[in-house]
Amino acid sequence: MSCASSESPRRIALVDCNNFYVSCERVFAPQLAHRPVAVLSNNDGCVVARSEEVKALGIAMGTPFHEIRALVKSAGIAVYSSNYALYGDMSARVMQVLAQFTPRVEPYSIDEAFLHFTGWEDARLTEHAQHMVKTVRRWTGIPVSIGIAPSKVLAKVANRVAKQQRLPGGVCQLTDPALHPAILAQMPVGELWGIGKRWTQRLQALDIHTAQQLRDSDPSQLRARFGVVMQRLIYELRGVSCLDTEALTPPKQQLIASRSFGRPVTELTALQEAVASHVARAGVKLRRQGSVTQALVVFIQTNRFKQEAFPYHQAVTLRLPAPTADTGKLIGYAVMGVKALYRAGLRYKKAGVMLLNLAPAQQIQLDLLHPGDDERSRRRMQVVDQLNAKMGNGTLRFAREGWQQPWQMRQAKRSPAYTTKWEELPRV
């Protein structure tokens, strides 16, 4: 196992946007500043984001919306449908601001990024981080918290402390090893970054219940039981930077894109449009991780919660003649799959696709008769991805995806796309 070493002290900052979806809604609706706000999932089904005021009311993440309708009314909760175009654009703006403070910004999720400050003095770095918090808030309207430490795992811990204790300036710095034991001893091992439910259960069976107990464990023994990632986690807790983000989030082996329809779909053409749209979304993720797919699954189903005359849930697996990341090719196979599955007279509630047997695009054994994606295909997909990333998803799309898309998911409470559509710009 190799861990990074440097003569200069390694300093890593984790910047995390506070209640990101809610904060995005509040940017363009200042009257929501101190009001409870909740954001709902696809088709307005469940709560996926909560303001601190909503958390205080005891509403848990994932609570079905229909279960809290009475509380929403009595407590005056502002409820919004997920506005992914707005959230994605606001995320990009936050990342652009962070890039003003260090040349090395490593986005981890839509609302998180690691920043590297190797060689900085600790006192100066704290002041620099507090200036970052103020600048991001001033330039984008998004509040952020920052955790600073010698490693990514400890930076995650520091960020958690900054949020929970609401530290002045929104910054927690854990560069002093003397501070680690007291904080790690209070942190359940299951709340550590990279420790999932199964690992938590296995660690607890070994009488390891806190982050501090894991830190003090024998790295070699736990590597034999859990693998090299666990060994690196232990060293990270000791302040030794040796964990790449990719170690905890490796390229996915399959990709799924599916959504329930806002209203039942009965026509083949509309069903094919929906599946083509799902393929396009999956294709972007596929190319983003530098992979190709070798098989495609298409599935359609009626509403399993209603008494249908003919309950129907079927899928078909299509093995591709050559690995590809070309959305156009994938859509061609997918619509053929839908046609094979389609049964007239049924009211379809959901459709989707799954890309299987993913592999790195540069490590594929090509077939002489089916050579796979050529340079023209790759350049075409690159242009599509770049244009949609710059101008907004769906700016350039395949005709098979349709334009009106009446089958789209229900978003009765969606706020305008303030930053990505001319016709929805805020008016002053």
Side-chain angles (χ1 to χ4, degrees):
M1 186 201 71
S2 62
C3 293
S5 61
S6 174
E7 295 181 0
S8 300
R10 183 177 291 268
R11 297 293 179 255
I12 299 174
L14 174 67
V15 181
D16 189 3
C17 302
N18 301 339
N19 304 322
F20 182 58
Y21 288 5
V22 169
S23 295
C24 289
E25 298 294 349
R26 283 175 165 170
V27 168
F28 297 96
Q31 68 273 18
L32 300 176
H34 301 291
R35 183 179 171 185
V37 180
V39 178
L40 304 178
S41 63
N42 295 343
N43 282 309
D44 298 342
C46 303
V47 175
V48 295
R50 305 161 294 161
S51 67
E52 295 301 322
E53 296 83 359
V54 170
K55 295 175 185 178
L57 291 171
I59 297 176
M61 183 72 78
T63 300
F65 178 57
H66 67 84
E67 294 182 5
I68 59 171
R69 288 184 184 275
L71 182 57
V72 166
K73 186 175 181 180
S74 63
I77 302 175
V79 179
Y80 289 87
S81 304
S82 293
N83 189 339
Y84 299 116
L86 175 64
Y87 307 153
D89 185 69
M90 292 301 292
S91 173
R93 292 168 188 250
V94 170
M95 299 301 170
Q96 288 173 355
V97 175
L98 296 178
Q100 306 290 320
F101 292 88
T102 177
R104 189 175 174 190
V105 177
E106 185 182 343
Y108 175 64
S109 66
I110 192 172
D111 60 348
E112 293 178 287
F114 289 104
L115 279 63
H116 297 257
F117 294 100
T118 299
W120 282 62
E121 296 178 2
D122 289 343
R124 181 166 165 246
L125 184 53
T126 299
E127 182 181 350
H128 191 62
Q130 291 173 341
H131 181 50
M132 272 196 290
V133 173
K134 293 178 181 178
T135 304
V136 172
R137 185 63 180 266
R138 187 183 306 117
W139 290 8
T140 69
I142 302 296
V144 301
S145 297
I146 300 179
I148 304 171
S151 67
K152 289 181 178 178
V153 172
L154 283 177
K156 274 273 192 179
V157 173
N159 187 279
R160 181 175 180 267
V161 173
K163 282 189 172 183
Q164 290 186 342
Q165 299 185 12
R166 300 186 180 182
L167 298 181
V171 176
C172 175
Q173 186 160 318
L174 288 183
T175 52
D176 183 354
L179 299 174
H180 299 173
I183 292 175
L184 296 179
Q186 299 297 318
M187 185 174 185
V189 69
E191 295 183 9
L192 278 173
W193 183 44
I195 303 291
K197 184 177 180 180
R198 291 180 61 186
W199 273 15
T200 299
Q201 294 171 344
R202 292 175 61 188
L203 287 169
Q204 290 174 344
L206 297 173
D207 202 27
I208 299 174
H209 301 276
T210 69
Q212 179 64 21
Q213 289 175 325
L214 180 60
R215 178 188 184 278
D216 294 339
S217 301
D218 186 321
S220 299
Q221 288 186 4
L222 289 191
R223 173 173 179 164
R225 290 174 176 267
F226 294 87
V228 69
V229 172
M230 179 63 76
Q231 183 185 28
R232 290 174 178 170
L233 278 169
I234 294 173
Y235 281 114
E236 286 264 329
L237 288 171
R238 297 178 180 180
V240 180
S241 180
C242 57
L243 190 65
D244 292 330
T245 304
E246 292 75 14
L248 293 177
T249 54
K252 294 182 178 180
Q253 299 303 304
Q254 62 182 33
L255 290 169
I256 301 175
S258 69
R259 282 178 184 165
S260 297
F261 303 133
R263 62 186 185 187
V265 170
T266 58
E267 297 182 356
L268 173 61
T269 301
L271 206 57
Q272 289 176 323
E273 285 184 359
V275 168
S277 179
H278 298 329
V279 169
R281 288 193 295 115
V284 173
K285 298 177 183 178
L286 183 68
R287 293 186 292 275
R288 191 175 292 157
Q289 71 172 34
S291 298
V292 292
T293 181
Q294 303 175 75
L296 172 72
V297 175
V298 179
F299 61 88
I300 59 176
Q301 67 182 62
T302 55
N303 193 338
R304 59 191 177 96
F305 295 109
K306 290 188 177 182
Q307 293 294 328
E308 295 282 349
F310 300 98
Y312 188 75
H313 182 183
Q314 292 294 327
V316 60
T317 301
L318 305 168
R319 184 163 295 280
L320 307 180
T324 183
D326 189 314
T327 295
K329 295 178 183 178
L330 293 173
I331 286 178
Y333 291 109
V335 296
M336 288 192 295
V338 174
K339 186 174 182 179
L341 296 173
Y342 177 75
R343 299 292 181 271
L346 299 183
R347 293 161 56 86
Y348 296 97
K349 178 61 178 177
K350 187 176 183 179
V353 297
M354 182 186 304
L355 307 184
L356 301 177
N357 298 345
L358 307 191
Q362 305 302 322
Q363 299 178 16
I364 286 295
Q365 181 69 42
L366 300 180
D367 188 309
L368 182 62
L369 299 178
H370 302 95
D373 298 341
D374 57 16
E375 183 61 25
R376 183 177 180 182
S377 168
R378 286 188 286 269
R379 290 175 61 186
R380 180 171 63 249
M381 289 298 96
Q382 184 179 24
V383 169
V384 171
D385 292 342
Q386 290 177 346
L387 184 60
N388 286 334
K390 182 178 181 179
M391 305 299 293
N393 289 334
T395 300
L396 187 61
R397 69 179 71 167
F398 287 81
R400 272 293 193 177
E401 297 179 63
W403 189 253
Q404 298 298 329
Q405 300 184 333
W407 41 264
Q408 279 282 14
M409 62 182 178
R410 184 171 61 253
Q411 291 180 304
K413 304 177 185 296
R414 184 182 70 81
S415 56
Y418 293 111
T419 63
T420 55
K421 289 188 177 180
W422 287 107
E423 63 270 22
E424 295 185 21
L425 289 177
R427 297 183 179 182
V428 180

